[in-house]
């Protein structure tokens, strides 16, 4: 009997051409398809929740696949982790309803973090997971600029011009900027994000932090509704998809105990 298994996937995206299968290089989706197919003896094609870009990392991306394997769904994570490379890990696996889809749910909450190393010279131990900014940054100014992005807005100024969607309105529930020593973290939570949206927000707030933009410029960029008004797209290595949250009812109503 076929079952749908949900996976929570973490990966270091440095050596991958993003999540989605493409002809120009290896991707996370491609590796998962091959390893799950080998494990189950089936031709598996997973469905992912978020198609992260080349070089972007994740702690909590979500994917599902259908299988008739006798391996218990909650044990699938352990079995797969024996076969996956060290830079991809299944953090959790469990069964969901057959029609449950990771992208088409009524209430989805996504959280990303963008990491900046703000120091005079780069730290080679942080180069894979943070973007280096050598000039001093005003974090308080960044916080003031970030406040304009909270709420429901048309974020067309903050998305790649190649974005192929008609509706560019999104809701940002929270956008926090935290500093600990030379490490600055932008943590953003919303109901969804446009192509390159978080990286463009990060690039714009970095310009605020460096003094190129006043914090009020962020509101002006929103109002102008044109991509060229915003800052550059920040590099991918600083971006991490932290979590994708769903209502329990949309997960099939299973409790945490039932999912373990």
């Amino acid at each position: 009997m076929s079952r749908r298994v949900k996976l929570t996937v973490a990966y270091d995206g440095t050596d991958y051409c993003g999540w989605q299968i493409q002809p120009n290089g290896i991707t996370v989706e491609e590796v998962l398809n091959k390893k799950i197919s080998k494990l189950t003896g089936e031709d598996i094609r997973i469905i992912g929740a978020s198609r992260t870009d080349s070089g972007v990392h994740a702690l909590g991306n979500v994917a599902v696949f259908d299988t008739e394997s006798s391996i218990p769904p909650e044990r699938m994570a352990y079995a797969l982790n024996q076969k996956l490379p060290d830079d991809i890990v299944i953090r959790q696996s469990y069964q969901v309803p057959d029609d449950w889809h990771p992208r088409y749910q009524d209430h989805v909450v996504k959280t990303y973090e963008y990491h900046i190393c703000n120091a005079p010279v780069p730290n080679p131990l942080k180069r894979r997971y943070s973007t280096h900014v050598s000039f001093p940054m005003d974090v308080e100014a960044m916080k003031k600029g970030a406040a304009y992005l909270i709420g429901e807005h048309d974020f067309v100024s903050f998305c790649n011009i190649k974005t192929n969607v008609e509706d560019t309105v999104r809701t940002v529930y929270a956008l926090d900027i935290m500093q600990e020593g030379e490490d600055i973290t932008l943590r953003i939570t919303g109901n969804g994000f446009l192509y390159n949206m978080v990286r463009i927000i990060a690039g714009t707030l970095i310009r605020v932090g460096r003094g190129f933009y006043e914090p009020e410029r962020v509101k002006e960029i929103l109002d102008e509704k044109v991509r060229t008004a915003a800052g550059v797209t920040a590099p991918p290595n600083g971006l991490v998809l932290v979590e994708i949250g769903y209502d329990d009812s949309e997960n099939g109503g299973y409790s945490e105990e039932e999912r373990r």
Side-chain angles (χ1 to χ4, degrees), residues 60-125:
N61 207 345
V62 171
V64 297
F65 67 94
D66 297 320
T67 179
E68 295 185 0
S69 170
S70 60
I71 300 173
E74 65 276 7
R75 296 291 294 170
M76 194 66 72
Y78 176 80
L80 278 173
N81 286 336
Q82 310 309 304
K83 298 183 176 296
L84 287 167
D86 292 341
D87 53 8
I88 302 178
V89 173
I90 308 302
R91 299 181 64 188
Q92 188 183 43
S93 62
Y94 58 87
Q95 185 174 353
V96 292
D98 293 345
D99 61 351
W100 193 89
H101 195 290
R103 292 198 299 274
Y104 305 128
Q105 299 296 329
D106 291 336
H107 186 66
V108 181
V109 178
K110 293 185 178 182
T111 298
Y112 282 88
E113 287 184 353
Y114 195 87
H115 297 270
I116 300 164
C117 179
N118 186 208
V121 295
N123 184 334
L125 301 184

Side-chain angles (χ1 to χ4, degrees), residues 131-150:
T131 292
H132 175 246
V133 177
S134 60
F135 298 95
M137 296 177 66
D138 185 342
V139 173
E140 292 306 312
M142 294 172 70
K143 290 179 179 179
K144 291 177 182 177
Y148 291 108
L149 300 173
I150 297 172

